[in-house]
Amino acid sequence: MTTRRPLIVGAVASVTAIAAAVGVALWSPWSEDVVAATALELDGDIRTHDPALVVGDDGEDWYVYSTGDIQKGFGSPQIRRSSDQGATWEYVGTAWDKPEDVAWVYDEVTGVQNFWAPELVEHEGTWYLYYAASTFGTNGSVIGLMTSPTLDVDSPDYGWTDQGMVWRSAPGETNYNAIDAGVLTDQDGTPWMSFGSFWGGIQLVELEWPGGLPAAGAEPVSVATRNNATNAIEAPYLAYRDGYYYLFVSRDSCCQGTDSTYSIAVGRSTEITGPYLDSLGNDMRYDGGDELLSTRGAMIGPGGQSYSDGYLAFHYYDADLGGDFQLAIRELGWTEDGWPVAWTAEELAG
C-alpha cells in the first residue's frame, strides 16, 4: 500500500503564515524553506496541446512542437518558434504537409486524423522527432520517427525524413498504449524511450543511436501506474539533474476543457530504469509520485508536459477562454535536496 504525499500548496502557504505569526519553525515537505518556480509571460500564438519544448542556446531560437490539427498539414505536429527566449511565439508551420509523407501510418492505424504528443531530441547533430498516431479510446497505436539536420525552419538544410515505426501496440496483444514518447540518453550514453497512456501505464524501452530505434531484443518494462482499474496516467517525460533521473507524468483526465482534471506528478531514481520514488519513498509503479502542478484559478488541468534546460512546458485549459488550451512555460525551482517545484511564489502564497 502506498501513502499519498501530503503536499497541498495551499496548505504549505497556510503553514507558512501560521508559523510566521506565532514564531515557530516552519515545516516543509522537503525539510527546508519553500522555493518557487518562475512563470514566463507568454504572448503570440500559444494555442498548443502536448508541447515539446526545445530551449535554444544563447542567441538561438526556442521551439515548441505540439499535437496537430487536421485542418493544418493533414494533422502533422505543429511548430512554433520564439526569438526572444520563450516570451513571444509564432506559428511557423507543420512538420510535414502531405499525408504520403507518413503513408505507412494510415495502414497501421485505422482512422488517424491527427498526430499527437511529439518529442524532440538531438544526438550528434541530428534532430529526432517522435510522434504518436492513434484514436481516442483504443490502444491500437504507433510511435513514429522522423529526423532532420536542424530545427531552423529557415535553413536550406531543414526538412524531416521519415524513419518509420519505433513501437506499436494493439488491442488484445499488448497491455499498454504506444503513445506519448519521451526520450532521454542516460549518463552511459544509452537512449531510452518512455511512453504510455492508461492500460498498463508508463513503459520504458531501450533504444540505440544513431538510428533512434529500439535496441535489438528490447522489451518495455513498467515504471509507473496508478495501480487501479482506470490507470489514468500518461505523457511520461524523463530528465536528468545532479545524479537523479526524474520521471514527470500527467494523471487523470485531459481534453475536456474546463472539466479536465489533469495534473502533473514526479518521482526520481538514481537509475534510469527505476524504481522511481516520490519524496516519501512511494514507488511510482504503485501510484507513487509527488503532485507538481494541478488546477489553480483559471489554469485548469495542466499536463502534457516536457522539460528542456530547466524549463517545464505544459498545456492547460484556460477558464477565461472558455476552456481553450494554451501553452505555459515555467522555470522550475529546485529544493536543496533536489526536488522540483512548479508553483510560483504568488501561487504558494495564495
Side-chain angles (χ1 to χ4, degrees):
M1 177 180 295
T2 59
T3 303
R4 301 301 308 134
R5 176 179 178 175
L7 173 58
I8 306 297
V9 292
V12 172
S14 298
V15 171
T16 304
I18 293 170
V22 301
V24 300
L26 171 65
W27 171 86
S28 162
W30 303 284
S31 300
E32 64 180 45
D33 292 339
V34 173
V35 297
T38 301
L40 274 62
E41 296 292 332
L42 305 186
D43 197 6
D45 188 337
I46 58 172
R47 191 174 185 270
T48 69
H49 205 275
D50 307 314
L53 172 67
V54 174
V55 171
D57 293 335
D58 290 345
E60 293 184 350
D61 293 338
W62 293 23
Y63 282 90
V64 161
Y65 279 49
S66 60
T67 288
D69 183 332
I70 186 61
Q71 299 181 44
K72 296 180 179 181
F74 292 91
S76 167
Q78 298 184 9
I79 309 170
R80 287 171 175 81
R81 176 177 60 186
S82 171
S83 299
D84 56 4
Q85 297 183 305
T88 308
W89 292 90
E90 60 173 333
Y91 174 82
V92 292
T94 55
W96 62 86
D97 57 12
K98 301 184 296 294
E100 53 265 32
D101 289 342
V102 288
W104 65 268
V105 175
Y106 298 96
D107 294 332
E108 288 286 341
V109 183
T110 302
V112 168
Q113 292 190 334
N114 64 333
F115 296 82
W116 304 347
E119 158 69 323
L120 289 167
V121 61
E122 186 270 343
H123 176 72
E124 295 186 351
T126 295
W127 282 95
Y128 295 75
L129 169 61
Y130 295 82
Y131 61 88
S134 187
T135 56
F136 282 105
T138 175
N139 70 330
S141 310
V142 299
I143 295 169
L145 174 63
M146 286 193 163
T147 56
S148 174
T150 179
L151 293 184
D152 182 359
V153 296
D154 296 325
S155 169
D157 297 326
Y158 170 80
W160 292 102
T161 301
D162 178 32
Q163 303 297 340
M165 184 189 305
V166 181
W167 207 261
R168 68 183 292 273
S169 57
E173 296 181 20
T174 56
N175 187 34
Y176 52 75
N177 194 9
I179 67 171
D180 295 358
V183 175
L184 180 69
T185 300
D186 68 19
Q187 293 301 288
D188 295 324
T190 302
W192 299 82
M193 182 177 73
S194 58
F195 68 91
S197 172
F198 290 68
W199 278 271
I202 305 306
Q203 312 295 312
L204 184 70
V205 65
E206 182 180 347
L207 306 179
E208 59 183 5
W209 297 128
L213 299 173
E219 290 294 338
V221 296
S222 175
V223 291
T225 78
R226 299 302 299 279
N227 200 33
N228 58 31
T230 305
N231 213 10
I233 185 171
E234 58 190 2
Y237 205 88
L238 292 165
Y240 179 82
R241 183 181 186 273
D242 292 347
Y244 287 101
Y245 296 95
Y246 292 83
L247 176 61
F248 299 90
V249 297
S250 296
R251 303 191 297 197
D252 298 320
S253 298
C254 84
C255 315
Q256 299 178 36
T258 54
D259 291 329
S260 299
T261 58
Y262 239 14
S263 65
I264 302 173
V266 66
R268 72 183 186 186
S269 174
T270 56
E271 301 292 335
I272 197 167
T273 51
Y276 288 88
L277 308 179
D278 63 24
S279 62
L280 293 180
N282 298 310
D283 194 323
M284 292 185 74
R285 292 175 297 180
Y286 308 104
D287 199 26
D290 293 333
E291 183 180 281
L292 189 65
L293 208 60
S294 58
T295 293
R296 173 64 65 92
M299 181 183 71
I300 308 297
Q305 66 288 327
S306 64
Y307 175 88
S308 178
D309 197 23
Y311 292 86
L312 186 77
F314 57 93
H315 71 251
Y316 68 95
Y317 304 92
D318 193 333
D320 293 335
L321 297 176
D324 200 12
F325 50 84
Q326 299 284 279
L327 171 68
I329 302 174
R330 297 188 175 194
E331 185 175 11
L332 294 178
W334 293 89
T335 67
E336 289 185 2
D337 51 355
W339 289 101
V341 179
W343 296 108
T344 65
E346 292 78 11
E347 289 166 336
L348 288 169

